[in-house]
Amino acid sequence: MSISPYEISIPTFQRGFTVLTKLLDKAEAFAEEKKIKTDVLVNARLSPDMLSLAGQIQRLSDTAKGAASRLTGTDAPSFPDDETTLADLRTRIAKTVSYLATVPESGFEGAAERTVVIKSRGQDVTYTGKDYLLTFALPNFYFHLTTAYAILRHNGVPVGKLDFLGRT
Amino acid sequence: MSISPYEISIPTFQRGFTVLTKLLDKAEAFAEEKKIKTDVLVNARLSPDMLSLAGQIQRLSDTAKGAASRLTGTDAPSFPDDETTLADLRTRIAKTVSYLATVPESGFEGAAERTVVIKSRGQDVTYTGKDYLLTFALPNFYFHLTTAYAILRHNGVPVGKLDFLGRT
């Protein structure tokens, strides 16, 4: 048996946002314990020219909804990237998860063969749905989820690999 | 059309090691330009209790060969985690890629339904092949690849998102 594009994408994204929410819970508890503002973590980066935690979560949201939208040929809601607090980021996650829940499995019929065109650095890049999912959407999703985790861990938040794998 | 467990795993891993090799090329050029030993990068970490770059690459190798082995019900070679230099890590990558090339697509017949048992923190965790691939092997693989990238970027190596996506 093979695995459907739906199974590879939507449940993966939902699981990722559940993981992220728990990471943010730990970040919030850590900030409270250390008496630091959560904004410090929201604005933290691994390198001056990398996105902050807020930026990683915004791109994670866009990657998930972009994939759901492109693989089903339907529109996704646009979110303005105006999150500046942990509460804002939790709202962004909730809006993204709510949208993902509306995307029906039946919409993924033919998704592997669908032509997907994305803009990248001003150029059109054309993929089959399968290649888009496996070589762009999934790596990108895990890139931003891992980087969000790494930003927190680099800053001392006690998160571990089992948290990342959703096994806690 | 659905996507086979082979397509989701082996080409993903092969692409990941190609990406990693280019990241290491940039790391080596950076070290040369800055007149620093590559060992500094090999031993770099994002947090004192996270694995070094060497450790991330060892786990990336294990994740890929573990997935190939478990999904096909065949043995993978064991590598002793004795890499201490960039050259050692390149050899580890080459050995891993060579092994992956020997795993035939036909061996993945029935992989999604296969029972996979892994040891995690001393406990057996049982998965279907599909769940093992989507919720353990892939997240783990991208976790270690992203963390390797993040360690380099955090240390100033000029790598960017297009390098991570294999688009350079």
Side-chain angles (χ1 to χ4, degrees):
Chain A
M1 192 184 77
S2 284
I3 304 177
S4 74
Y6 174 85
E7 291 174 295
I8 300 169
S9 58
I10 302 291
T12 293
F13 302 150
Q14 289 169 326
R15 222 171 21 250
F17 287 113
T18 300
V19 163
L20 178 61
T21 297
K22 290 189 180 177
L23 297 177
L24 295 182
D25 291 345
K26 290 201 169 187
E28 198 158 2
F30 172 84
E32 191 168 333
E33 184 197 326
K34 300 284 181 189
K35 305 199 188 317
I36 56 173
K37 292 201 166 93
T38 54
D39 291 3
V40 175
L41 298 173
V42 166
N43 294 311
R45 318 173 179 257
L46 291 177
S47 165
D49 62 352
M50 278 183 92
L51 292 171
S52 65
L53 178 65
Q56 301 296 339
I57 293 174
Q58 288 161 348
R59 294 294 75 74
L60 189 74
S61 161
D62 283 355
T63 301
K65 64 193 181 66
S69 156
R70 291 181 184 119
L71 290 171
T72 59
T74 58
D75 288 335
S78 176
F79 302 138
D81 286 348
D82 56 2
E83 295 82 7
T84 60
T85 68
L86 195 58
D88 292 344
L89 291 171
R90 289 190 189 273
T91 302
R92 172 74 173 254
I93 294 167
K95 286 192 297 185
T96 308
V97 169
S98 292
Y99 160 66
L100 293 176
T102 69
V103 183
E105 186 162 357
S106 60
F108 282 78
E109 188 65 39
E113 298 76 35
R114 189 180 284 280
T115 298
V116 172
V117 182
I118 61 163
K119 282 261 180 231
S120 174
R121 318 274 158 135
Q123 302 224 308
D124 281 349
V125 185
T126 303
Y127 294 93
T128 60
K130 179 171 79 177
D131 287 347
Y132 164 74
L133 176 56
L134 296 181
T135 73
F136 183 88
L138 270 191
N140 231 353
F141 186 81
Y142 281 122
F143 178 92
H144 294 296
L145 186 60
T146 303
T147 306
Y149 169 99
I151 289 171
L152 294 177
R153 191 149 170 194
H154 177 66
N155 278 277
V157 177
V159 292
K161 188 58 158 324
L162 292 183
D163 294 315
F164 180 82
L165 290 173
R167 299 253 304 285
T168 53
Chain B
M1 192 184 76
S2 285
I3 304 177
S4 73
Y6 174 85
E7 292 175 294
I8 300 169
S9 57
I10 301 291
T12 293
F13 302 150
Q14 289 169 326
R15 223 171 20 249
F17 287 113
T18 300
V19 163
L20 178 61
T21 298
K22 291 191 179 173
L23 297 177
L24 295 182
D25 291 345
K26 291 203 169 185
E28 198 157 3
F30 171 84
E32 192 168 333
E33 184 197 326
K34 300 283 181 189
K35 305 198 190 315
I36 56 173
K37 293 201 167 91
T38 54
D39 290 2
V40 175
L41 298 172
V42 166
N43 294 312
R45 317 172 181 259
L46 291 177
S47 167
D49 63 350
M50 279 182 91
L51 292 171
S52 64
L53 178 65
Q56 301 297 339
I57 294 174
Q58 288 160 348
R59 295 294 74 74
L60 189 74
S61 161
D62 283 354
T63 301
K65 63 194 183 65
S69 157
R70 292 182 183 117
L71 290 171
T72 59
T74 58
D75 288 335
S78 176
F79 302 138
D81 287 347
D82 56 2
E83 296 82 8
T84 60
T85 68
L86 196 57
D88 292 344
L89 291 171
R90 289 190 189 275
T91 303
R92 171 74 174 252
I93 294 167
K95 287 191 296 184
T96 308
V97 169
S98 291
Y99 160 66
L100 293 175
T102 68
V103 183
E105 186 163 356
S106 60
F108 283 78
E109 188 66 37
E113 297 77 35
R114 189 181 283 279
T115 298
V116 172
V117 182
I118 61 163
K119 281 263 178 230
S120 173
R121 318 272 158 135
Q123 302 225 306
D124 281 349
V125 185
T126 304
Y127 294 93
T128 61
K130 179 171 81 177
D131 287 347
Y132 165 74
L133 176 56
L134 296 181
T135 73
F136 183 88
L138 270 191
N140 231 353
F141 186 81
Y142 281 122
F143 178 91
H144 293 296
L145 185 61
T146 303
T147 306
Y149 170 99
I151 288 171
L152 294 177
R153 191 148 170 197
H154 178 65
N155 277 277
V157 177
V159 292
K161 189 58 160 321
L162 293 184
D163 294 314
F164 180 82
L165 290 173
R167 300 254 302 285
T168 53

